[in-house]
């Protein structure tokens, strides 16, 4: 299987996964799917309400369920929620079924972008706690990724890489 048929983008909240995903999918002619949006659509609830009424654990279960479904699809670019790497099961699914791009953006940049965002339940956490989460996830994003894209990286190079099969 050519894993580039199925691409996943991981990275912290506010790293720009959705923007990158849309750009990439357009460039290579894949369908773009935002995993958070898919969960909201299928459960007919906003993420913040899923967290509020059913808790984070339930949200994580939904994440795994839909990630598994997407692992069966072809020619897709999936932008994952920042917490996707928390569960080992998700990391295995990503590694085995996707070409994974880690969008590595400095914490302070992400923080600026997410602060005050009421649609992101974790964005209201204290900065110290968020930094702790960032540091804990950083090696996990790296561990599942096939390609790391940093702020000053040229997206065109990545597009060429994805097109060259
Ligand atoms: C989360 C990130 C969010 C969303 C949920 C939990 C996280 O996605 O899945 O609020 O645990 O980091 P984004 O990374 O797209 O903000």
């Amino acid at each position: 299987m050519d894993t580039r048929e199925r691409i996943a983008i991981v990275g912290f909240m506010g790293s720009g996964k959705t923007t990158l995903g849309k750009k990439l999918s357009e460039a290579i002619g894949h369908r773009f799917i935002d995993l958070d949006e898919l969960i909201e659509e299928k459960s007919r609830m906003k993420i913040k309400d899923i967290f509020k009424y059913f808790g984070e654990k339930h949200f994580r279960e939904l994440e795994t369920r839909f990630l598994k479904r997407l692992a069966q699809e072809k020619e897709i670019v999936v932008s994952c929620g920042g917490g996707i790497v928390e569960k080992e099961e998700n990391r295995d699914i990503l590694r085995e079924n996707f070409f994974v791009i880690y969008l590595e953006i400095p914490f302070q940049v992400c923080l600026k972008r997410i602060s005050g965002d009421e649609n992101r339940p974790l964005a209201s956490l204290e900065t110290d706690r968020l930094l702790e989460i960032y540091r804990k996830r950083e090696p996990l994003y790296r561990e599942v990724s096939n390609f790391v894209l940093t702020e000053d990286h040229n997206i065109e190079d990545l597009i060429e890489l994805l097109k060259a099969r």
Side-chain angles (χ1 to χ4, degrees):
M1 182 194 64
D2 183 350
T3 46
R4 282 173 223 184
E5 287 263 320
R6 209 175 295 114
I7 295 159
I9 305 171
V10 300
F12 202 66
M13 289 174 275
S15 56
K17 292 164 292 193
T18 301
T19 308
L20 173 67
K22 284 183 180 164
K23 235 180 231 175
L24 282 186
S25 61
E26 254 169 50
I28 62 175
H30 282 19
R31 190 155 55 96
F32 174 71
I33 298 165
D34 183 306
L35 185 52
D36 282 343
E37 272 177 22
L38 182 69
I39 294 171
E40 289 188 332
E41 206 182 287
K42 299 288 180 191
S43 55
R44 295 190 189 155
M45 275 184 101
K46 289 280 168 200
I47 304 269
K48 67 169 192 292
D49 291 327
I50 301 177
F51 268 68
K52 186 171 161 192
Y53 298 111
F54 298 102
E56 181 172 347
K57 190 164 177 280
H58 178 70
F59 172 73
R60 299 294 170 206
E61 282 161 14
L62 292 175
E63 239 180 354
T64 303
R65 189 187 306 166
F66 288 106
L67 182 66
K68 271 186 191 159
R69 283 194 201 169
L70 294 177
Q72 315 288 323
E73 309 253 338
K74 279 194 166 180
E75 301 198 347
I76 53 169
V77 175
V78 182
S79 137
C80 301
I84 197 86
V85 293
E86 294 266 347
K87 276 169 79 180
E88 189 180 0
E89 185 179 7
N90 295 349
R91 298 201 295 276
D92 289 342
I93 299 169
L94 284 169
R95 257 195 310 261
E96 286 162 20
N97 300 281
F98 292 84
F99 180 84
V100 183
I101 299 162
Y102 167 29
L103 186 51
E104 188 194 15
I105 303 297
F107 176 70
Q108 289 301 336
V109 178
C110 295
L111 184 66
K112 224 177 184 174
R113 291 185 187 155
I114 65 170
S115 66
D117 186 345
E118 290 175 2
N119 290 316
R120 285 182 165 111
L122 300 184
S124 58
L125 293 172
E126 295 288 322
T127 304
D128 284 357
R129 176 72 189 113
L130 278 172
L131 180 58
E132 214 174 275
I133 297 174
Y134 181 95
R135 287 192 174 137
K136 185 179 99 189
R137 288 179 184 172
E138 211 279 330
L140 303 177
Y141 293 134
R142 207 169 279 285
E143 178 201 308
V144 296
S145 65
N146 301 94
F147 191 95
V148 180
L149 191 74
T150 56
E151 256 184 325
D152 40 42
H153 224 108
N154 187 353
I155 294 181
E156 298 309 316
D157 292 343
L158 174 60
I159 292 172
E160 284 316 306
L161 175 80
L162 295 174
K163 279 182 174 170
R165 303 208 198 122

